Amino acid sequence: MSLNKLLVSGGCLRENGFELGEGKYYGKASLLLLDLATGQFETLLSKTDGGANYPAEHPNLQYTAACLDGDTLWLPTDTEVFAYRLPDLQQVTCYSHPCFQNIHSVHAFADELVVTSTGLDNVVVLDKQSGQIKQILNAEGKDPWHRFSNDIDYRLVHSTRPHDAHPNYVFQLNNELWVTRCKQEDAVCLSNVNKSIDVGQGERISVHDGLWWGDKLVFTRVDGFLVICDPVSGKVLDKHDPFGLERNRPRGWCRGLYIDGNMFYIGYSKLRKTKLTTKLKFISQGNFKYRDGNEALVVAYNMHTQKVERVYEFNSASIEAVYGILPYQYD
């Protein structure tokens, strides 16, 4: 079946989010449906209110990296994981626990849900049917509560920065759970963190997504590079810059990836103010089209021809931060 539409999850900035501080940047969670033929998009879901599982004032509202499980869409916010039935988007359930803080992604493996509680540097494994916690794994192999207290409801805390590991995205390798770590610029096995893949290779460029492409693993970096690794040796095989030496290259924060054969759909968030200026050294000068920055984008890159085939641009009212991209196979 040919791919015609994509789901894009993310959020919109508050006008004064930077001034409010960490954990208060985003005021609207957004899930968009993108038509790949026309470039048109529509909002399927949005969330502008918090609730009992969020701070009372200025909750950080964004949909982060979701996953598909048959006809179920598991869609996370910073502190909750929603299940929606497709294609009618009827809410089936919602799971939330005090150890959920700044969730970056959710993943369905067999009868389990795996949630990255990025703010606590942990990965939380849930029973898919009940939502109960089965296991909490620290991204550095430490006791999950070595730094934080299990008596505190961290859903009500705006930010726990600085993070020690900042786990982003989970994948399976040899039936083991692995997670990407922004701080260490790598991916590690959660049952033995001595097993790792050095994605950054000494460069301070944040690693985000980790997806399978055939028998290879592909990782995104916020500067837009795609890093291809051999899962057996753990070695980097290649790095792809979709825009190469083009002068019209996006200046956005690259995060979110879906792979359909040789076509890579890559998310670029609109740049926002940040105190982490060392992460923005990749921004080039002399950029013509995007010299004043760009809106959030999805870039269609053909890995076989190594050419960008199309750039889809959103508007700030719909989405500014992109976290996840998934296929939508319904009419």
Side-chain angles (χ1 to χ4, degrees), residues 246-258:
E246 287 188 29
R247 302 298 292 275
N248 291 334
R249 60 183 301 115
R251 302 178 70 173
W253 186 269
C254 178
R255 174 182 56 203
L257 175 66
Y258 177 68

Side-chain angles (χ1 to χ4, degrees), residues 2-292:
S2 61
L3 181 63
N4 299 314
K5 297 179 180 180
L6 293 174
L7 295 170
V8 183
S9 57
C12 295
L13 289 161
R14 281 194 174 89
E15 185 175 350
N16 61 337
F18 179 75
E19 288 73 22
L20 288 172
E22 290 287 353
K24 304 173 186 176
Y25 289 130
Y26 294 95
K28 183 176 79 169
S30 296
L31 178 70
L32 305 185
L33 181 64
L34 171 64
D35 188 307
L36 294 174
T38 66
Q40 299 297 307
F41 57 88
E42 61 178 302
T43 300
L44 296 183
L45 291 172
S46 65
K47 181 175 175 61
T48 57
D49 60 323
N53 297 324
Y54 299 83
E57 294 184 350
H58 310 301
N60 201 51
L61 298 172
Q62 54 187 351
Y63 290 133
T64 54
C67 72
L68 292 172
D69 183 23
D71 289 325
T72 300
L73 172 69
W74 293 99
L75 181 64
T77 65
D78 269 26
T79 57
E80 297 176 315
V81 177
F82 293 91
Y84 290 97
R85 185 179 64 226
L86 294 174
D88 58 2
L89 283 173
Q90 290 296 308
Q91 183 180 327
V92 177
T93 192
C94 176
Y95 298 146
S96 188
H97 294 280
C99 62
F100 283 1
Q101 214 286 332
N102 196 206
I103 294 172
H104 271 46
S105 62
V106 64
H107 312 267
F109 300 119
D111 60 351
E112 295 179 335
L113 286 179
V114 181
V115 181
T116 54
S117 184
T118 302
L120 299 190
D121 292 317
N122 289 333
V123 173
V124 184
V125 181
L126 306 180
D127 179 271
K128 189 192 297 182
Q129 297 302 317
S130 68
Q132 294 302 303
I133 295 175
K134 297 177 66 174
Q135 193 175 16
I136 301 179
L137 302 165
N138 180 261
E140 293 184 291
K142 300 177 181 179
D143 184 297
W145 301 111
H146 77 281
R147 182 181 169 202
F148 300 101
S149 170
N150 61 1
D151 295 324
I152 295 176
D153 189 341
Y154 286 97
R155 296 171 296 187
L156 309 183
V157 177
H158 280 104
S159 176
T160 56
R161 288 180 183 270
H163 302 152
D164 287 346
H166 197 96
N168 280 319
Y169 200 93
V170 174
F171 59 93
Q172 282 189 317
L173 172 57
N174 296 326
N175 294 316
E176 295 178 304
L177 295 177
W178 287 61
V179 68
T180 60
R181 302 188 301 182
C182 176
K183 282 296 187 73
Q184 289 79 7
E185 309 291 354
D186 65 4
V188 294
C189 177
L190 284 165
S191 60
N192 180 3
V193 296
N194 292 317
K195 295 193 290 186
S196 66
I197 299 173
D198 182 9
V199 182
Q201 295 188 306
E203 296 185 75
R204 299 302 300 164
I205 295 293
S206 299
V207 176
H208 267 272
D209 312 81
L211 279 76
W212 283 97
W213 178 46
D215 61 353
K216 304 293 189 299
L217 284 165
V218 180
F219 300 92
T220 56
R221 304 188 341 177
V222 300
D223 61 351
F225 276 84
L226 301 173
V227 182
I228 301 174
C229 296
D230 177 6
V232 177
S233 66
K235 302 296 184 182
V236 172
L237 300 176
D238 202 359
K239 291 194 301 184
H240 282 260
D241 180 0
F243 288 90
L245 299 176
E246 287 188 29
R247 302 298 292 275
N248 291 334
R249 60 183 301 115
R251 302 178 70 173
W253 186 269
C254 178
R255 174 182 56 203
L257 175 66
Y258 177 68
I259 302 173
D260 181 34
N262 286 317
M263 189 63 68
F264 285 50
Y265 295 96
I266 312 162
Y268 286 80
S269 296
K270 181 178 181 178
L271 286 181
R272 61 168 172 80
K273 291 182 181 179
T274 179
K275 296 177 182 178
L276 302 176
T277 54
T278 58
K279 296 293 185 180
L280 300 180
K281 291 182 178 179
F282 63 86
I283 295 178
S284 61
Q285 302 299 317
N287 190 320
F288 294 156
K289 182 177 180 180
Y290 300 119
R291 62 184 178 273
D292 296 322

